[in-house]
Amino acid sequence: MPKIAIMTDSNCGIMPAEGEKLGIHVLPMPVIIDGQTFYEGIDLTLEQFHEKQISGADITTSQPSPGDVEAMWDELLRNYDEVVFIPMSSGLSNTCQTASMLSGDEKYDGKVFVVDNHRISVTQAQSVFDAKQLAEEGKSGKEIRDILENEAMDASIYIAVDTLEYLKKGGRITAAAAAIGTVLKLKPVLTIQGNKLDSFAKSRGMKAAFRTMLEALRKDIDSRFPHLRKQGLLKVGIANTIMEPEKLEYFKDELQKNFPDMELFYLPLTMSIGTHTGPGALGIGTVRFRKNPELS
């Protein structure tokens, strides 16, 4: 049975130090703030990121350098036979395509398997946990990649944005639209269905946006995933950028009340998403998970 390393990037919401405790190897994403490059979870915490964002710093994100990706692969292959790398969705970043190209090098052939399973945040994290379980069950790197890619679309995410300022900064809406939306207290609801971050709806206020997301999620579960729910193979997830703790607890409680038969999975929204959504953003979703056969 091959010894397999499970590797991901910090876009999943798992930071490098936490990943080390879980036996997961996390590549930190670079974040450029006022021209200086930081690495998520290494020399920049989420709290520091949000402080800089609120203070008006110029923030952009970037994919990891090919050198950093290969350096982690080389280090892992000193102790493992194979590496399964699960980066963020290829529809949201070029990281996956770059890694796939690098894995074609002769020295990584049959040893590094890059998974394009079209996920980010809590859904990407679930893929990482599934990969770890599959490795423990004795699956090869190729088998793990094929399983995760086959199940890639068994997930759905909705995100509500509290402020339009950062969508305007990122060029996703015009300054005029942002100004009108701010006056009307509109909260855009965005969705990720595999690849791109797309507009879904607009609501007046965050609680109304949350209700819109709940209804959309319910429709997805009823129409796309009823078989998975019946088998007990669905979780609901929630993620956020910085907001008041009592507000976050309210949303968690409401999500659990609406889906009492499903496990609730929480992770903070990462800096790559937070750069575009700003503070106060809230995401909910559903994702397929693999049951531990020993616990079934």
Side-chain angles (χ1 to χ4, degrees):
M1 184 173 80
K3 189 178 179 185
I4 298 176
I6 304 302
M7 174 180 163
T8 187
D9 61 44
S10 58
N11 284 301
C12 69
I14 303 170
M15 294 298 107
E18 183 185 1
E20 188 174 346
K21 296 175 185 176
L22 296 170
I24 295 164
H25 307 275
V26 181
L27 182 69
M29 294 297 291
V31 181
I32 302 147
I33 302 177
D34 291 334
Q36 183 178 353
T37 300
F38 297 87
Y39 291 89
E40 189 169 22
I42 299 295
D43 54 6
L44 185 67
T45 67
L46 275 171
E47 291 76 16
Q48 291 168 333
F49 168 80
H50 289 302
E51 284 174 9
K52 291 177 182 293
Q53 187 177 50
I54 292 169
S55 71
D58 180 34
I59 302 177
T60 57
T61 57
S62 173
Q63 66 175 352
S65 72
D68 287 344
V69 175
E70 288 192 330
M72 183 170 275
W73 288 352
D74 292 341
E75 178 64 28
L76 290 173
L77 288 172
R78 293 189 182 98
N79 300 299
Y80 294 88
D81 301 310
E82 297 176 358
V83 175
V84 174
F85 179 37
I86 308 167
M88 69 184 292
S89 170
S90 61
L92 297 169
S93 167
N94 290 326
T95 303
C96 188
Q97 293 96 321
T98 300
S100 294
M101 180 188 67
L102 294 173
S103 69
D105 190 281
E106 185 178 352
K107 69 176 178 176
Y108 300 125
D109 185 37
K111 296 179 181 179
V112 174
F113 299 89
V114 179
V115 180
D116 184 6
N117 74 335
H118 308 287
R119 297 185 181 182
I120 192 170
S121 188
V122 292
T123 57
Q124 180 186 353
Q126 185 58 54
S127 295
V128 174
F129 296 140
D130 287 347
K132 190 170 186 297
Q133 181 176 312
L134 288 166
E136 290 169 355
E137 292 172 12
K139 296 290 193 293
S140 69
K142 181 181 183 304
E143 288 173 323
I144 294 170
R145 180 192 64 194
D146 292 348
I147 289 169
L148 294 183
E149 290 187 344
N150 185 56
E151 297 175 354
M153 302 309 292
D154 292 341
S156 179
I157 292 177
Y158 295 91
I159 302 171
V161 178
D162 190 49
T163 172
L164 297 167
E165 177 183 350
Y166 301 94
L167 290 174
K168 181 185 73 174
K169 280 186 176 181
R172 292 186 177 271
I173 60 172
T174 65
I180 293 170
T182 299
V183 170
L184 297 176
K185 298 183 179 179
L186 293 179
K187 308 299 182 186
V189 175
L190 312 173
T191 185
I192 300 174
Q193 302 296 332
N195 283 327
K196 295 181 179 179
L197 184 67
D198 291 321
S199 176
F200 178 76
K202 294 183 181 70
S203 298
R204 295 285 294 273
M206 185 57 77
K207 286 190 176 180
F210 180 67
R211 290 193 295 271
T212 297
M213 294 193 295
L214 273 179
E215 185 56 32
L217 194 62
R218 194 187 317 280
K219 287 181 179 178
D220 284 346
I221 290 171
D222 290 345
S223 63
R224 294 169 55 194
F225 311 126
H227 58 299
L228 295 176
R229 186 176 195 175
K230 187 176 181 180
Q231 297 173 66
L233 297 178
L234 276 185
K235 291 181 180 179
V236 286
I238 187 166
N240 70 296
T241 54
I242 186 170
M243 67 170 54
E244 298 90 339
E246 59 273 15
K247 187 181 290 188
L248 176 59
E249 287 307 310
Y250 167 79
F251 291 131
K252 283 183 179 179
D253 290 344
E254 287 298 306
L255 184 60
Q256 190 69 82
K257 286 176 186 175
N258 277 268
F259 302 101
D261 57 317
M262 299 186 202
E263 179 185 339
L264 180 65
F265 180 21
Y266 170 77
L267 281 172
L269 281 172
T270 65
M271 297 179 196
S272 292
I273 295 180
T275 296
H276 302 288
T277 63
L282 180 76
I284 66 172
T286 189
V287 61
R288 176 185 186 141
F289 72 99
R290 307 191 68 82
K291 285 186 176 179
N292 188 329
E294 295 181 2
L295 301 177
S296 300

